[in-house]
Amino acid sequence: SSSSSSSSATSASDLAQLPSESPCGGYLAIRTLAMPKDENMHRDIFGGFIMSQMDLAAAIAAARHSKTRVVTVAVDKLVFKKPVHMGDTVSCYTWIKSVGRTSMNVRVLVISKNGLSGGDTVEHVTEGMFTMVAIDENGKAVRVPPLVD
C-alpha cells in the first residue's frame, strides 16, 4: 500500500457516508470535542492538538494489535486540508497498514464535524502514517503478531 495521499485519501463525500463504528474498515480510536483551550490566536484549533490526538489514536490501534505497550518512532508528512474550529467534533480513524517484526504502520485519518451549527458537514482535516514499535516493560522492542486478513 502506498502512503501517498492520492492513493489513500478518502473524499469528503465518502466520509459523510461513514458509520462511526467502522468506516472503510477503519477503527474509531478517538472522538473528542475541540474546546477553547485548544485554539490558537486565529481562533482555529492548534495543529499540535490534532497531531497529539492522531498520536494517541495510532497508539491505541497499535496497542490493540500488539497487546503490549507501544511508542511512536516516526510520523510521515501531515498536510492540514481544513481548519478545525472550537465546538467541532474531531474523530480519528485508524488502520494497521503493515506490520514488521517489532513495528506497525498505522494510518490515521482525521475528520471533523461542525458541532456549533448542528450541521452535518464532515470535513477531511488531515491524515498521516505513524510508525509504532511494540516494547516490553524494560523498553526493549518485542515481536508483534502478523496482520490477519
Side-chain angles (χ1 to χ4, degrees):
S1 165
S2 169
S3 64
S4 72
S5 60
S6 62
S7 65
S8 64
T10 304
S11 73
S13 62
D14 291 339
L15 294 173
Q17 304 304 314
L18 299 178
S20 62
E21 296 80 25
S22 182
C24 305
Y27 168 71
L28 176 61
I30 291 180
R31 177 169 286 152
T32 191
L33 184 65
M35 299 295 288
K37 68 179 177 55
D38 306 314
E39 286 181 326
N40 63 25
M41 65 184 185
H42 303 292
R43 303 194 51 97
D44 294 326
I45 299 304
F46 277 112
F49 170 76
I50 301 298
M51 291 169 63
S52 71
Q53 297 302 302
M54 294 174 78
D55 190 37
L56 289 169
I60 289 167
R64 280 174 51 105
H65 178 76
S66 66
K67 311 256 189 294
T68 190
R69 182 177 165 199
V70 297
V71 293
T72 307
V73 297
V75 180
D76 274 1
K77 176 177 79 171
L78 298 178
V79 176
F80 290 92
K81 299 175 180 195
K82 297 284 185 177
V84 174
H85 305 287
M86 196 271 293
D88 287 357
T89 302
V90 177
S91 301
C92 297
Y93 294 94
T94 59
W95 293 260
I96 305 285
K97 298 303 283 182
S98 63
V99 171
R101 192 176 68 77
T102 62
S103 66
M104 295 152 281
N105 287 318
V106 182
R107 176 181 170 221
V108 181
L109 168 71
V110 179
I111 64 168
S112 68
K113 189 171 182 180
N114 186 302
L116 293 178
S117 70
D120 290 330
T121 303
V122 175
E123 299 285 358
H124 178 184
V125 176
T126 189
E127 62 186 280
M129 191 70 70
F130 287 67
T131 303
M132 312 300 287
V133 171
I135 59 172
D136 65 16
E137 62 279 353
N138 299 313
K140 298 268 191 189
V142 297
R143 283 195 174 278
V144 295
L147 285 177
V148 179
D149 289 332

